[in-house]
Amino acid sequence: MAKRIGIEVSLAISEAVKLANVDAIAAYPITPQTHIVEHLSELVADGELQAEFIPVESEHSAMSVCAGTSAAGARTYTATSSQGLALMNEILFIIPAMRLPVVMTIANRSLSGPISIWNDHSDLMSVRDTGWIAIFAENGQEAFDLTLQSFKIAEDHRVMLPISVNIDGFTLSHVIEPHEFLDQAEVDSFLPPYEPLVQLNPDKPVSMGMVGIPEIYFEAKKAQDMVLIESKAVIKEVFKEFGEKFGRYYHVIESYRTDDAETLLMTMGSISETAMEAIDIMKDEQGRKVGLIRLRLWRPFPHEELRELLRGVKTLAVVDRAVSFGSPGGPVATEVRSALYNSENAPYVASFIAGLGGRDVTIEHFTTMVDMAERMAEQREVHEYKMIGVRE
């Protein structure tokens, strides 16, 4: 029976990991993800979770431990943020190449320097091409649900890839929200025990992570890209199954009040809920034909679904929370422009960068972005990107 309680989002994620019956947790503390692994250590110490809790001396070691435990057939979890994710970088590439279904929460935080512990998406964007599936949650309930679904997606034998579930640091990780928890029987009915496709076993030796000589490296990379692209079908399948079972539906791109919209905002993460309020005001009080789409799935990028949602839309205002230094736009906007390049009647795409290093993105900012995007579209202004809320 579902149970509704108020709890910090980080702790709710820990409870989801417990309900998933993980076998191994590699942990190194870094703000703002620390509460997640801290609570998991309590659950293990108190005997509420039967798992190996492995404290390590760095994030590089944490991800290395994940590689080892996952290869040995253990359902494996870790969490990190910002510089910690950067320190994992070397091993992040190896995990998907070895088809290891590790699940990791990233409490998104800006990268130094200058030193900052506050939220934006620069950490995730720095690892976008490592081959991990990347999913965004906008609130605590979604973080809880998507953590459970991620184990099922990652461990599907058609996928066998790692997944990062991204939550905005502090904005989500440190707030108390109402959550509707599933009980153990419900989770067990959805998430079966992990059955490794291959695993390290001294009784049946296999070699994993071998050298890729020029005669096979290229093919290995093509195979890795293909399985990541094809994982989208499984992701949609699991989202659908979860919705039918528990009544909470997820999509690779979420939409909000897009009927008859000629201008759309596009966001990721927790600022989407502020964007919804802005859309409500613009539609209900100003009569404007606007709407919102929120990117749930960042990798693999949902090109087809995006093109379908943008049919008939005249203007798209993409809001990035990271800088791709020296590029012609924010990372998401650049991806969107590329996806639409060969599309007929593609909307005008305006690229905005906002909310870096924990800077608030307000309702007024979203209204300003819509105003600017519509004006730029009318004038067919050639631009790269514009920053919102920055002092100049």
Side-chain angles (χ1 to χ4, degrees):
M1 189 68 168
K3 185 178 174 184
R4 189 175 174 85
I5 63 170
I7 188 172
E8 185 182 293
V9 172
S10 287
L11 307 193
I13 293 170
S14 305
E15 293 292 331
V17 173
K18 183 188 80 170
L19 287 164
N21 276 323
V22 297
D23 301 306
I25 302 157
Y28 189 79
I30 182 169
T31 303
Q33 72 82 24
T34 305
H35 291 188
I36 300 173
V37 292
E38 191 175 71
H39 187 54
L40 282 168
S41 74
E42 293 170 345
L43 294 171
V44 172
D46 293 344
E48 295 183 44
L49 171 60
Q50 301 299 315
E52 290 294 329
F53 186 88
I54 308 167
V56 292
E57 75 279 10
S58 74
E59 287 87 354
H60 187 282
S61 298
M63 192 48 67
S64 299
V65 165
C66 287
T69 56
S70 186
R75 178 170 283 169
T76 299
Y77 174 81
T78 192
T80 193
S81 181
S82 186
Q83 308 303 125
L85 184 66
L87 189 51
M88 288 178 173
N89 193 269
E90 179 187 2
I91 314 301
L92 290 177
F93 289 90
I94 296 171
I95 301 281
M98 292 178 63
R99 306 286 299 276
L100 301 174
V102 175
V103 173
M104 171 168 64
T105 302
I106 304 175
N108 297 123
R109 178 187 128 181
S110 50
L111 285 167
S112 301
I115 295 170
S116 169
I117 61 169
W118 292 275
N119 167 241
D120 65 31
H121 296 160
S122 55
D123 53 1
L124 175 66
M125 294 304 157
S126 75
V127 299
R128 68 178 182 181
D129 293 328
T130 52
W132 286 57
I133 296 169
I135 294 174
F136 269 90
E138 298 168 9
N139 55 49
Q141 184 67 63
E142 292 184 1
F144 177 87
D145 292 346
L146 291 167
T147 299
L148 291 170
Q149 292 176 76
S150 290
F151 285 105
K152 182 151 186 164
I153 296 165
E155 296 168 1
D156 188 298
H157 286 188
R158 295 168 291 174
V159 179
M160 296 299 289
L161 288 172
I163 298 184
S164 68
V165 179
N166 292 268
I167 64 165
D168 284 339
F170 291 114
T171 311
L172 285 188
S173 62
H174 283 57
V175 301
I176 295 174
E177 291 187 356
H179 294 75
E180 191 170 284
F181 278 10
L182 303 177
D183 63 29
Q184 191 64 62
E186 288 173 316
V187 173
D188 290 347
S189 72
F190 171 75
L191 179 64
Y194 174 38
E195 294 288 343
L197 194 58
V198 291
Q199 69 183 107
L200 297 176
N201 184 339
D203 296 330
K204 196 175 179 182
V206 295
S207 295
M208 299 177 69
M210 302 299 288
V211 65
I213 57 176
E215 285 76 11
I216 64 166
Y217 184 88
F218 203 165
E219 286 73 18
K221 290 292 114 177
K222 179 178 179 182
Q224 185 183 336
D225 189 40
M226 287 176 65
V227 76
L228 180 61
I229 292 168
E230 290 168 0
S231 71
K232 188 176 66 177
V234 179
I235 294 166
K236 293 168 77 170
E237 186 181 299
V238 172
F239 283 178
K240 184 170 182 284
E241 182 187 346
F242 189 90
E244 290 174 348
K245 216 167 184 39
F246 305 117
R248 294 194 288 272
Y249 289 88
Y250 293 85
H251 306 89
V252 294
I253 304 176
E254 308 285 354
S255 58
Y256 181 72
R257 301 190 71 178
T258 56
D259 291 345
D260 82 354
E262 295 180 353
T263 299
L264 293 181
L265 276 167
M266 183 173 186
T267 56
M268 293 195 303
S270 62
I271 64 168
S272 300
E273 298 195 344
T274 308
M276 288 182 203
E277 291 191 43
I279 294 297
D280 288 344
I281 292 170
M282 284 187 275
K283 283 185 93 77
D284 300 338
E285 299 180 14
Q286 302 170 8
R288 301 177 69 171
K289 293 184 176 181
V290 296
L292 171 69
I293 56 176
R294 299 112 65 199
L295 200 56
R296 169 86 58 211
L297 184 64
W298 168 234
R299 282 291 185 272
F301 192 82
H303 301 88
E304 295 90 351
E305 292 79 2
L306 179 68
R307 294 185 192 113
E308 185 62 32
L309 279 168
L310 294 180
R311 283 183 191 279
V313 173
K314 295 179 179 176
T315 306
L316 178 67
V318 181
V319 186
D320 269 285
R321 300 196 64 200
V323 178
S324 180
F325 296 104
S327 86
V332 180
T334 303
E335 196 90 10
V336 169
R337 285 170 171 160
S338 175
L340 298 177
Y341 184 74
N342 289 320
S343 299
E344 291 184 6
N345 302 315
Y348 177 88
V349 179
S351 171
F352 297 101
I353 295 173
L356 299 186
R359 184 73 56 89
D360 286 339
V361 184
T362 65
I363 291 173
E364 290 72 25
H365 286 145
F366 285 117
T367 305
T368 297
M369 285 186 261
V370 169
D371 291 344
M372 290 175 67
E374 290 182 343
R375 186 168 60 251
M376 291 154 63
E378 188 177 334
Q379 298 171 353
R380 305 309 293 178
E381 179 180 323
V382 177
H383 79 293
E384 294 177 339
Y385 64 87
K386 295 182 184 295
M387 289 189 167
I388 300 298
V390 64
R391 293 191 300 276
E392 294 178 336

